Amino acid sequence: MRRAHQPYADAFAHHRIDLTTPGAEATIAAQLRDVGLVTLDGLTSRNAVLAFANRIMNLVPHRDSDSDGLTTIRDTRRHTHRAGFAGFGNGNLDPHTERSGTPNPPRLMLLVCGQTAVKGGESLLTDGQAVHTSLFIGGREAGPALAQPRTAFFGAGDGHTTQVFTVHRGQRVSVRLRLDGLARWSPIVLPYLPQLGAAAVRHQIPLALAPGQGYLLDNERWLHGRRAFTGDRLCWRALGHPRFPMPRGFAPAPEAVPPPMLSEVG
């Protein structure tokens, strides 16, 4: 069956930046500010991933990271059905924002493939700008409701009260989302969750990463997920804040500019 939405025949090639070219860091920074997504290759070892991550971001350690700041992503066979640990299983992973239950999620996420799955395991990326446009135009009431402050709580007992769309200065917008058992919702937005989930899936872009290939995304704009897999799939992930200036969120499509009464709330 044909997928409903496929903006690029080869999303990896479309967003790829050659790390060996002079000024690659500046090109990466510009592309992240523009579209929020970069694809990369040639990162064939954990040390190479770590070295590149440290060139681009200040790493943020967290619950799942190893002592060097990277997180090893694989099926541990110990986290099945545990809310908040789906990334360490082998099932489907819903579109989400990394560290959505913290007050200030890391701005950048780098994921690099170390070993492919036997079957499945493709990364699934969703442009939050496309979701925002869809819900503010096609959804009409859905977009403004999902931008109402304090209509979602993400995380466990120490989680964070927030909203799916946050409007920043200059009418820029960031997206924050999770759809698992650690998401709780205000009655204001409950009727619109089916539209939200459908839009997040409809705009997914699949990336079948080979060893050494990866992506770097703006965690305030892009959602990420994964298809279920079999085999010993292995990835390395880095989270952090950019070593270069980046304005908050993304510029919404002109026809989807949020109402002016919605203000910045974390």
Side-chain angles (χ1 to χ4, degrees):
M1 183 175 70
R2 184 185 178 194
R3 292 182 64 82
H5 182 81
Q6 180 61 20
Y8 306 115
D10 187 341
F12 187 91
H14 183 84
H15 292 93
R16 179 181 176 272
I17 290 178
D18 185 350
L19 294 179
T20 66
T21 59
E25 287 92 344
T27 305
I28 288 170
Q31 187 161 308
L32 285 171
R33 287 189 289 260
D34 183 23
V35 297
L37 177 64
V38 170
T39 55
L40 311 154
D41 54 20
L43 300 173
T44 55
S45 70
R46 184 189 184 98
N47 285 341
V49 175
L50 182 61
F52 171 71
N54 280 317
R55 284 163 54 191
I56 295 297
M57 68 179 83
N58 295 309
L59 292 173
V60 175
H62 56 89
R63 179 197 70 187
D64 303 319
S65 59
D66 301 317
S67 59
D68 60 4
L70 297 185
T71 303
T72 303
I73 306 293
R74 67 190 321 161
D75 179 12
T76 66
R77 298 173 176 83
R78 294 183 288 106
H79 293 90
T80 304
H81 307 308
R82 288 187 64 188
F85 290 86
F88 297 103
N90 64 356
N92 291 313
L93 194 58
D94 290 331
H96 65 284
T97 300
E98 199 59 45
R99 308 289 288 162
S100 61
T102 61
N104 297 293
R107 187 65 190 271
L108 299 180
M109 171 184 161
L110 169 69
L111 185 88
V112 178
C113 176
Q115 180 173 310
T116 58
V118 173
K119 182 179 180 181
E122 296 89 351
S123 294
L124 299 170
L125 307 182
T126 301
D127 189 349
Q129 185 191 58
V131 175
H132 179 268
T133 301
S134 175
L135 295 176
F136 267 83
I137 297 175
R140 298 189 179 183
E141 295 178 354
L146 292 161
Q148 289 294 325
R150 304 178 66 84
T151 48
F153 182 89
F154 296 148
D158 58 348
H160 185 66
T161 302
T162 184
Q163 55 283 331
V164 173
F165 298 118
T166 298
V167 184
H168 304 281
R169 293 179 180 87
Q171 292 297 303
R172 294 181 68 86
V173 177
S174 62
V175 63
R176 185 193 296 230
L177 181 65
R178 69 185 307 150
L179 296 167
D180 63 1
L182 295 182
R184 282 169 273 178
W185 303 93
S186 162
I188 295 172
V189 299
L190 281 175
Y192 307 109
L193 294 186
Q195 289 174 259
L196 171 63
V201 171
R202 184 169 65 251
H203 292 284
Q204 282 181 330
I205 299 170
L207 286 181
L209 301 174
Q213 293 183 337
Y215 61 82
L216 175 66
L217 58 75
D218 179 353
N219 196 40
E220 288 191 348
R221 173 166 177 170
W222 287 81
L223 308 171
H224 65 282
R226 180 195 67 211
R227 287 181 179 150
F229 65 91
T230 58
D232 294 324
R233 179 183 184 267
L234 168 68
C235 293
W236 297 295
R237 185 186 68 194
L239 302 175
H241 297 292
R243 293 181 177 270
F244 45 83
M246 283 184 69
R248 295 298 307 269
F250 55 86
E255 63 272 26
V257 173
M261 71 283 294
L262 298 176
S263 58
E264 180 169 356
V265 178

